Amino acid sequence: GENVEQHPSTLSVQEGDSAVIKCTYSDSASNYFPWYKQELGKGPQLIIDIRSNVGEKKDQRIAVTLNKTAKHFSLHITETQPEDSAVYFCAASINNNDMRFGAGTRLTVKP
Amino acid sequence: DAGVIQSPRHEVTEMGQEVTLRCKPISGHNSLFWYRQTMMRGLELLIYFNNNVPIDDSGMPEDRFSAKMPNASFSTLKIQPSEPRDSAVYFCASSLQGWYGYTFGSGTRLTVV
């Protein structure tokens, strides 16, 4: 089955700096790659996603890139703010079924 | 839209007791997923349904775990008998089958003592 690895496990940045989280996946058939943000006491919330026919997608301060050949994808957050502090998860699936998650990255944005 | 609704939010039970977790997916969503989250193992997919039919239950850890979806608006995850190692946060998520991300509920924090 699909195996998703995520790095780093923790990330601390100064407010206004950029943050980058990287993931790799094992199953070349995977074609859907969402990113989730989880705040304390809540369920994961979808923040951005990318499909295998697209190399990059941007939504305001958040962007995701996908390299199908290397089987890795990354989340980029620019101009970080304290409210960006949370745990971020990458995931991979085939046609949105059987979604497998990375281990998570705890992002801390220091004011 | 009220989102995915899970109940109870917290459950404390004694080892050996039966535990039932409940989930109401978003109206119109036809896929439902049960996940378990622990510090050690992260988010694990337990089972998922498409159009109320169980598709893959290979993530269910043992026969003590069972899940049902009697209709499009309700699903249960049952643990019988419960053990301390079942302590975790259990999430239910729903989606439109196809190209959409999942919407997660707020989870049920289960503690088995």
Side-chain angles (χ1 to χ4, degrees), chain A residues 37-45 89 101, chain B residues 4-9 21-24 32-38 42-48 75-77 88-94 102-110:
Chain A
K37 175 183 181 182
Q38 186 176 26
E39 297 175 320
L40 196 62
K42 297 182 179 180
Q45 180 180 14
F89 293 93
F101 285 79
Chain B
V4 176
I5 300 173
Q6 290 187 246
S7 63
R9 284 299 310 272
L21 311 182
R22 297 172 176 80
C23 176
K24 177 178 169 56
L32 184 138
F33 309 84
W34 282 101
Y35 281 85
R36 178 171 69 175
Q37 186 175 40
T38 61
L43 276 162
E44 300 175 275
L45 177 64
L46 301 178
I47 185 171
Y48 75 94
S75 178
T76 60
L77 178 67
V89 180
Y90 290 80
F91 287 104
C92 173
S94 70
Y102 299 177
T103 301
F104 281 81
S106 297
T108 294
R109 180 173 295 277
L110 173 65

Side-chain angles (χ1 to χ4, degrees), chain A residues 25-82:
Chain A
Y25 61 98
S26 61
D27 192 339
S28 57
S30 290
N31 57 8
Y32 178 62
F33 307 91
W35 286 85
Y36 288 82
K37 175 183 181 182
Q38 186 176 26
E39 297 175 320
L40 196 62
K42 297 182 179 180
Q45 180 180 14
L46 178 69
I47 56 171
I48 194 168
D49 57 12
I50 192 168
R51 298 172 177 84
S52 59
N53 58 346
V54 175
E56 184 174 357
K57 183 177 179 180
K58 189 174 182 180
D59 183 4
Q60 299 183 337
R61 297 186 296 108
I62 295 174
V64 58
T65 58
L66 170 66
N67 183 327
K68 285 195 300 180
T69 303
K71 290 191 283 189
H72 66 70
F73 55 115
S74 301
L75 177 72
H76 304 252
I77 306 175
T78 58
E79 301 173 21
T80 53
Q81 301 167 4

